[in-house]
Amino acid sequence: MLIQQLLNGISLGAVYAIIAVGFALVFNILKFSNFSHGGVLTVTAYAGFLISSKLNLGFVPTILLTAVAGGLIAMGIERVAFRRLRKKGSPIILYFVSSITMGMLLENLITVFFSSNFYSYPKFFEKSSFTIFGLNMAVTDALMLIISIVSLTILMVVIYKTRLGIAIRALSMDTNTTSLMGINVNAVIAATFFVVGCLGGIAGVFLGLNYTLYPQLGQLIVKGFIASVLGGLGNLFGAVLGAILLGVLEVTLTNIPFIGAGLSPVVIFVIMLIFLILRPQGIAGKIVHEKA
Amino acid sequence: MGLLFSVLTFTSITIIGVISIFIITGLTGLFSLGQASFMAIGAYTSGLLVTKLGMPFPLAIIISVAMGVLFGLIVGLPTIRLRRDYIALVTFGFGEAIIAVLNNMTSVTGGATGMAGLPQYTNLALAGGSAVVCIFMARNFKYSRFGRQCLALKTDELAAKSIGINVTRLKLTAFLVSAGMTAYAGVLFGFYTTYVDPGIFNWTKSAEWIIMVFFGGIGSLTGAIVSALILGTLPEILRFASEWRIVIYSVTVLIIINYRPKGLLGERELKLADIKKLFSSWRKAL
């Protein structure tokens, strides 16, 4: 029973991890909390639905196409909402407001065009669950876990082994110096947003599969935020750790009859507050200082 | 006429909300994405006190505002020392938590179906008068020693600290004042619509207010008021476009941030002389 819950929690945490990492990546290079990521989640959840139902595609092609679509959307967001701000060297506050506005815009565009009807993903699999070592697992949960692990591994390889990854890490330290080293900052930031959008697209499909499709789906971005606060703002490994912790916590709390699914946000909030008092730098350690 | 009155009343309540955001975001540069939950606290506390306990309205107002401040303290104390992002995140989480509580305490709050049957105590005179008082308070705030310290803090926190400003206390004060003020707006709102449900107070509401402050100009009190007037009344008048309302808001704000990042008025305040000048130039043009 305990192991069963742990397994469910980890596979929920796996989706949160993809959201949290996408959020942490942008925080790393531009130093603001990117609320527009929630909009990407909503749009890709619906895009994935359209792709799978209109083109009659299976699961894997749907995920791949949606990831690419998410990447393009995120690049578009960067173009519209952040590029000019960066050119003019605007204060961080404006990035923040811009990203909130962008998130609201996407969410409400979906509301305008889709909220009148009820949509749900086509059934991808014959069986909905299977048993392994006496543990029950939903097929979507298993896929969620596998695909999250695969995409996070690919991401880590990209970040730590490729030229692009080096450029991204350099940017996260200092934009001007990176630019002086002959790196095309605009291109690297656009590429980062593409990567972030791909992660958002994958997460969007899973959210759409797990919950029904509704325009406010993107507000689950808050799970990504909480996960990265727990893990340490802007730290990728920390974000993954925090997300899995959060997933396990949520599943456990939902199974406690007194708390249930309804009150678990309250408990999570209280845990987050206590965490911030005791260890504001997060699990992973380093605190991000405001530049003087 | 009834429509006009109700639009004006709602706008007055919006102005109070926007001013509370102005105090926290405009003066100290912090973001509260859960500001609407303080409104929920005000509305629900006062509503329960009046309908369930039969408490007189003015006493209920005082207790509700105190509740708002108390919750502000609970949220603010642990987070106010940390990086600015945390305030946004924690207030966001706080908003979720409050909505979850309201939705689940069905026996007390009516759950997701909401709380109905509040008497309509709020009228235009009360709401408008309160808005004027809040504007006056915020003005005095801005031009007091407190406001100047806030300006220093917003511009450069480290420098403000180094000249001996108690940054933490300053931020906490601004946060608590704005929490109390929003709770009061919630009381007015609940006793005007006579019905509240948790869904009204989600984060989009808070974000809307932040957008209004930015639309008007981040450092400008009159800018915030003017934009609350414009953005608050327009959608009420253009009811047919209600679906597109937020879309239009968002596009407007994106354009403003990209092409006129200081907002309508920037740091400037609209003065009576400005308006006179505007009128005389119109007369000349005619």
Side-chain angles (χ1 to χ4, degrees), chain A residues 23 27 31-33 35 80-81 84-85 88 93-94 96-98 100-102 104-105 107-109 111-113 115 219 222 225 229 233 262-263 265-266 269 272-273 276-277 280 288-290 292, chain B residues 29 31 33 74-75 78-79 82-86 88-90 92-94 96-97 100-101 104 156-158 203-204 207-208 210-211 214 243-244 246-247 249-251 253-254 257-261:
Chain A
F23 165 73
F27 188 89
K31 310 284 181 247
F32 74 98
S33 306
F35 266 79
V80 175
R84 266 190 79 89
L85 293 182
K88 289 197 288 196
I93 281 186
L94 285 185
F96 192 72
V97 176
S98 196
I100 291 178
T101 320
M102 207 63 210
M104 272 174 74
L105 176 64
E107 184 181 310
N108 280 283
L109 278 176
T111 313
V112 168
F113 289 113
S115 69
Q219 291 180 12
V222 73
F225 288 149
V229 169
L233 218 50
L263 282 181
V266 183
F269 172 71
M272 188 167 82
L273 270 192
L276 279 179
I277 298 172
V288 197
H289 278 294
E290 201 99 36
Chain B
F31 280 94
L33 290 174
I74 295 172
V75 178
T79 42
L82 303 169
R83 239 184 96 92
R84 284 161 196 231
D85 298 73
Y86 286 102
L89 298 177
V90 170
F92 193 122
F94 176 65
E96 303 274 299
V101 168
N104 278 280
D156 194 331
E157 191 169 331
L158 203 67
W203 79 278
T204 337
E208 243 176 73
I210 294 179
I211 285 175
F214 268 83
E243 257 195 328
W244 288 88
I246 308 246
V247 175
Y249 267 16
S250 315
V251 173
V253 171
L254 280 178
I257 286 181
N258 274 309
Y259 294 98
R260 195 177 159 74

Side-chain angles (χ1 to χ4, degrees), chain B residues 267-283:
Chain B
E267 300 282 337
R268 266 171 6 105
E269 293 289 0
L270 212 56
K271 297 211 179 64
L272 225 58
D274 291 333
I275 302 172
K276 273 184 196 153
K277 213 193 279 171
L278 198 71
F279 269 114
S280 63
S281 67
W282 271 352
R283 229 177 285 154

Side-chain angles (χ1 to χ4, degrees), chain A residues 176-217:
Chain A
N176 287 336
T177 315
T178 314
S179 175
L180 286 174
M181 295 295 132
I183 291 169
N184 183 344
V185 172
N186 278 341
V188 173
I189 289 183
T192 315
F193 268 85
F194 184 79
V195 173
V196 168
C198 288
L199 294 172
I202 296 168
V205 172
F206 280 123
L207 293 181
L209 271 177
N210 251 3
Y211 309 92
T212 47
L213 282 173
Y214 58 99
Q216 286 77 29
L217 202 62

